């Protein structure tokens, strides 16, 4: 009330002072670059370095130039596989671990702290460490079953291997988010089901799982945004060329090469902006599907 | 555990699964740290063995410190991370206080505007950011990195802190106002009350800022401005065949964040499990 009265009395300078630094830095260094990148994607420079408007020409080039479109579709396909593996392995394993931790067994705090450790490590370090571990030179993988199936140097297993490394690193995030919402489910719900004679299996699928759907949605959208923005892991384990023969190329590495160049190939900021524009579109579509499709439909089961 | 709970796993089964997974989670890091302390011969001869007095060797660390400026990289990472965190928390808290406290016309819209950055990754604006930093003459400075991290950290900070400021009882603030405190003074008085949330936001931002490769690589790749992660990345590429040096560099890059994690793990996990995201 006091603040309201103050508002009517004089111009609220203090509100501006409070908001100004955050809004300024955020607008200048986050929102503006995003919009400006989209603008730049509509320009191009010629041999004499004169910049001129080309409309959607960069996008057309990306989609129709034989080499570029090949790389773009390849990166998109790899990125989709990368995402599907996260959804099918990382999130179910995260849910299983969360469920086991929610049973309040002795030492569960220690377990969850240790299992979360890889998530805080740098992706660069994780990528390189795994590269060494899987290297035939070191020969560790030959001692351990299953590990010998993972090979970063072979075209048809490199992408799956990289995806599993990423799953290994980030499984802690869905685990924590699922754990938080399992804990929040009121005990009476479960008690009531137990009185009715339901076993743990039925209780999980009939009561706990439906109540976890909102969290599953958040986990899904976070996975999507993270995956379609991934770069560091591929760059550190496989290099900017995302080898062998582009089999681990993701949109992030494709963006980097297009914009920054690699080896003898020069970079092209305008074409690079267009790649960023496509990535932005993909991420926005994912977020909107979540906001309007998923979140709205599950509102009625939320607590 | 509730004795009446019948699970589809026995107690021993639960422990077995969690123990196996804990091992999987820790094994790679342990392997790297362990072998970084060993002589070359036993790195290859007995990779799964811990360093013994007979195989102990620090030659990798000597190579790292004599051929790369890791002290400099540490200092750079520290400067960037600490200044970014202070600014994110300071500016974030001020904006959140305003959004939570005052009922001005554009308030809801401004909240949505600031929330966009939670979902949209700042990397997609890189082309323009690099152009801008070059135009301002601050590319290849730590300052450029700090500006980017502050801009990208503010959305989540505002989101989390606004929710927290809203839970502070009105009486507390009004008591201050009746005593004649200015709005700035009121903000300063309630700031300590959101300390748990500030801690959560600090840790959430610390990890990605410390670990980032993309922006150091593009905005500040000079030897004098390299962060630990970029420095390690470049070093690893150059010394790829010197396994002692590579393992030592990996260990050096992992250690600071591991130590911080051990210190702050309680707070981080509390932040995650108490719905800082929702």
């Amino acid at each position: 009330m006091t603040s309201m009265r103050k508002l009517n009395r004089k111009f609220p300078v203090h509100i501006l002072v409070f908001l100004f630094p955050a809004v300024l830095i955020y607008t200048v260094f986050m929102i503006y670059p995003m919009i400006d990148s989209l603008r730049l994607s509509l320009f191009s420079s010629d041999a004499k370095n004169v910049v001129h408007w080309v409309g959607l020409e960069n996008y057309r080039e990306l989609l129709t130039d034989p080499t570029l479109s090949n790389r773009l579709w390849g990166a998109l396909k790899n990125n989709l596989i990368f995402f599907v593996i996260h959804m099918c392995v990382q999130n179910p394993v995260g849910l299983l671990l969360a469920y086991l931790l929610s049973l309040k067994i002795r030492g569960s705090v220690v377990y969850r702290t240790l299992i979360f450790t890889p998530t805080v490590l740098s992706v660069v370090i994780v990528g390189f460490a795994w590269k060494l571990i899987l290297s035939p030179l070191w020969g560790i993988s030959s001692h351990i079953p299953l590990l010998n199936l993972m090979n970063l140097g072979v075209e048809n297993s490199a992408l799956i291997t990289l995806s599993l490394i990423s799953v290994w690193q980030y499984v802690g995030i869905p685990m924590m988010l699922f754990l938080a919402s399992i804990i929040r489910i009121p005990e009476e719900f479960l008690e009531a089901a137990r009185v009715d004679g339901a076993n743990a299996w039925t209780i999980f699928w009939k009561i706990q799982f439906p109540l976890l759907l909102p969290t599953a949605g958040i986990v899904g959208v976070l996975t999507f945004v993270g995956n379609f923005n991934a770069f560091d892991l591929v760059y550190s384990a496989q290099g900017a060329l995302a080898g062998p023969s582009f089999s681990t190329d993701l949109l992030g590495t494709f963006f980097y090469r297009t914009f920054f160049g690699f080896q003898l190939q020069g970079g092209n900021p305008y074409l690079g902006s267009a790649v960023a524009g496509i990535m932005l579109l993909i991420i926005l579509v994912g977020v909107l599907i979540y906001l309007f499709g998923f979140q709205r439909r599950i509102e009625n089961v939320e607590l | 555990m509730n004795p009446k709970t019948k699970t589809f796993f026995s107690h021993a089964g639960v422990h077995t699964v969690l123990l196996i997974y804990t091992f999987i989670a820790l094994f790679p890091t342990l392997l790297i740290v362990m072998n970084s302390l060993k002589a070359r011969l036993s790195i290859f001869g007995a990779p799964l063995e811990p360093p013994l007095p007979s195989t102990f060797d620090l030659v990798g660390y000597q190579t790292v410190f004599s051929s790369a400026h890791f002290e400099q990289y540490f200092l750079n990472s520290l400067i960037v991370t600490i200044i970014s965190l202070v600014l994110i928390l300071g500016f974030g808290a001020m904006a959140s206080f305003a959004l939570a406290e005052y009922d001005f016309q554009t308030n809801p819209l401004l909240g949505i505007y600031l929330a966009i950055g939670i979902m949209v990754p700042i990397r997609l604006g890189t082309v323009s950011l690099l152009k801008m930093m070059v135009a301002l003459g601050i590319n290849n400075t730590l300052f450029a990195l700090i500006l980017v991290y502050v801009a990208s950290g503010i959305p989540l900070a505002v989101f989390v802190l606004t929710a927290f400021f809203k839970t502070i009882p009105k009486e507390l603030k009004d008591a201050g106002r009746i005593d004649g405190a200015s709005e700035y003074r009121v903000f300063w008085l309630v700031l300590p009350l959101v300390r748990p949330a500030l801690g959560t936001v600090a840790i959430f931002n610390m990890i990605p800022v410390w670990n980032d490769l993309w922006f150091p690589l593009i905005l500040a790749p000079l030897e004098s401005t390299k962060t630990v992660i970029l420095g390690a990345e470049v070093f690893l590429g150059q010394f790829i065949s010197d396994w002692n040096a590579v393992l030592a560099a990996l260990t050096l890059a992992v250690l600071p964040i591991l130590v911080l994690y051990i210190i702050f793990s309680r707070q981080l996990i509390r932040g995650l499990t108490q719905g800082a995201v929702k």
Side-chain angles (χ1 to χ4, degrees):
Chain A
M1 287 306 273
T2 325
S3 52
M4 282 301 289
R5 233 178 293 134
K6 257 191 188 155
L7 271 186
N8 299 337
R9 215 166 45 207
K10 61 172 188 181
F11 186 73
V13 185
H14 57 276
I15 299 186
L16 286 181
V17 173
F18 281 129
L19 289 169
F20 185 73
V23 174
L24 177 78
I25 293 187
Y26 172 73
T27 305
V28 174
F29 293 101
M30 180 136 189
I31 296 297
Y32 169 76
M34 214 80 82
I35 295 168
D36 189 48
S37 275
L38 285 179
R39 188 187 64 86
L40 287 172
S41 74
L42 305 176
F43 286 80
S44 187
S45 69
D46 56 22
K48 286 180 219 134
N49 260 333
V50 180
V51 178
H52 53 95
W53 165 270
V54 292
L56 294 172
E57 179 59 28
N58 287 327
Y59 292 93
R60 200 192 61 80
E61 200 182 333
L62 279 173
L63 293 170
T64 58
D65 177 88
T67 328
L68 280 172
S69 68
N70 220 345
R71 285 285 86 80
L72 176 68
W73 291 116
L76 192 61
K77 192 188 109 205
N78 290 340
N79 228 148
L80 266 176
I81 296 174
F82 193 69
F83 172 64
V84 168
I85 293 177
H86 279 79
M87 289 302 277
C88 296
V89 183
Q90 174 189 277
N91 299 341
V93 171
L95 178 59
L96 172 70
L97 291 171
Y99 181 80
L100 296 180
L101 291 172
S102 76
L103 299 176
K104 295 198 183 71
I105 47 157
R106 193 185 292 250
S108 77
V109 174
V110 178
Y111 282 128
R112 75 175 187 200
T113 307
L114 293 178
I115 291 175
F116 195 74
T117 312
T119 308
V120 306
L121 302 180
S122 150
V123 188
V124 174
I125 304 308
V126 164
F128 212 91
W130 274 101
K131 189 175 157 170
L132 295 187
I133 291 167
L134 298 176
S135 156
L137 260 181
W138 203 0
I140 288 190
S141 50
S142 59
H143 294 306
I144 299 165
L146 292 180
L147 265 194
N148 52 8
L149 297 177
M150 295 169 71
N151 193 332
L152 287 168
V154 180
E155 234 177 276
N156 52 22
S157 72
L159 180 63
I160 297 176
T161 304
L162 268 187
S163 311
L164 291 177
I165 294 173
S166 173
V167 166
W168 170 83
Q169 173 164 31
Y170 287 122
V171 77
I173 292 179
M175 177 184 88
M176 288 298 178
L177 296 176
F178 280 127
L179 179 59
S181 35
I182 294 178
I183 292 172
R184 262 187 248 130
I185 297 173
E187 184 62 27
E188 302 88 76
F189 285 33
L190 311 181
E191 204 52 60
R194 267 184 222 119
V195 171
D196 291 344
N199 62 19
W201 181 259
T202 319
I203 291 178
F204 179 77
W205 288 110
K206 290 277 159 65
I207 299 175
Q208 289 169 305
F209 188 72
L211 291 171
L212 293 178
L213 282 179
T215 311
I218 292 170
V219 167
V221 76
L222 287 178
T223 311
F224 184 83
V225 174
N227 285 173
F228 277 89
N229 185 34
F231 163 79
D232 308 37
L233 181 63
V234 181
Y235 184 81
S236 68
Q238 308 294 76
L241 283 174
S245 30
F246 298 107
S247 60
T248 54
D249 200 19
L250 301 181
L251 289 168
T253 37
F254 178 58
F255 172 38
Y256 176 81
R257 285 200 312 275
T258 314
F259 157 45
F260 229 59
F262 60 102
Q263 291 174 350
L264 296 175
Q265 176 91 41
N268 180 340
Y270 305 101
L271 212 51
S273 302
V275 178
I278 293 175
M279 290 169 74
L280 183 65
L281 184 74
I282 292 172
I283 288 174
L284 283 183
V285 168
V287 172
L288 289 178
I289 288 176
Y290 164 71
L291 286 179
F292 292 99
F294 200 77
Q295 201 185 29
R296 192 164 286 182
R297 206 164 326 137
I298 57 181
E299 247 163 24
N300 49 357
V301 288
E302 223 170 325
L303 287 177
Chain B
M1 190 179 356
N2 189 330
K4 278 176 291 176
T5 314
K6 280 200 212 96
T7 57
F8 27 100
F9 302 97
S10 67
H11 250 207
V14 173
H15 276 292
T16 314
V17 175
L18 289 175
L19 269 176
I20 291 175
Y21 200 85
T22 306
F23 176 74
I24 295 173
L26 297 182
F27 170 71
T29 315
L30 284 178
L31 200 65
I32 299 292
V33 174
M34 219 164 70
N35 280 288
S36 77
L37 300 167
K38 285 158 55 175
R40 188 179 165 79
L41 216 62
S42 62
I43 291 177
F44 287 98
L48 301 179
E49 212 178 77
L52 304 166
S54 59
T55 56
F56 184 77
D57 197 339
L58 291 177
V59 66
Y61 292 90
Q62 284 157 4
T63 317
V64 169
F65 280 105
S66 62
S67 44
H69 306 108
F70 260 84
E71 340 57 83
Q72 178 72 48
Y73 306 158
F74 271 120
L75 190 66
N76 291 340
S77 280
L78 228 87
I79 292 172
V80 169
T81 309
I82 292 176
I83 298 183
S84 301
L85 285 187
V86 169
L87 294 180
I88 290 171
L89 292 179
F91 296 160
M94 285 163 61
S96 311
F97 179 75
L99 288 177
E101 180 67 12
Y102 308 118
D103 205 359
F104 51 96
Q105 211 174 11
T106 50
N107 186 326
L109 212 64
L110 198 59
I112 294 172
Y113 174 69
L114 285 168
I116 295 172
I118 298 178
M119 279 302 177
V120 183
I122 193 168
R123 275 184 195 177
L124 299 181
T126 307
V127 177
S128 167
L129 270 172
L130 178 62
K131 254 185 181 337
M132 195 192 307
M133 296 305 178
V134 173
L136 293 171
I138 55 171
N139 59 316
N140 280 318
T141 64
L142 298 180
F143 186 51
L145 293 179
I146 292 170
L147 286 173
V148 170
Y149 295 140
V150 173
S152 61
I154 279 175
L156 189 64
V158 169
F159 189 71
V160 173
L161 293 174
T162 305
F164 252 80
F165 273 118
K166 280 188 177 154
T167 62
I168 292 173
K170 197 139 189 54
E171 298 77 46
L172 273 171
K173 290 168 274 191
D174 284 343
R177 290 193 178 104
I178 288 162
D179 288 345
S182 69
E183 290 303 307
Y184 307 110
R185 180 97 192 109
V186 173
F187 168 67
W188 200 243
L189 287 173
V190 296
L191 195 57
L193 302 176
V194 295
R195 231 178 36 206
L198 290 174
T200 303
V201 171
I203 296 165
F204 276 3
N205 280 294
M206 181 179 76
I207 296 167
V209 169
W210 181 278
N211 284 338
D212 187 35
L213 170 70
W214 178 267
F215 285 111
L217 182 68
I218 287 168
L219 294 181
L222 283 192
E223 185 62 19
S224 59
T225 54
K226 270 181 199 155
T227 59
V228 172
I229 298 302
L230 180 60
E233 208 278 330
V234 174
F235 181 88
L236 294 171
Q238 287 168 351
F239 282 75
I240 192 147
S241 51
D242 184 344
W243 282 61
N244 287 90
V246 163
L247 290 168
L250 285 173
T251 305
L252 284 173
V254 161
L255 235 43
I257 203 81
L258 271 188
V259 170
L260 285 173
Y261 174 63
I262 292 165
I263 299 173
F264 293 113
S265 63
R266 260 171 194 283
Q267 194 146 25
L268 173 71
I269 289 170
R270 206 187 310 134
L272 268 173
T273 49
Q274 286 179 351
V277 176
K278 188 134 196 292

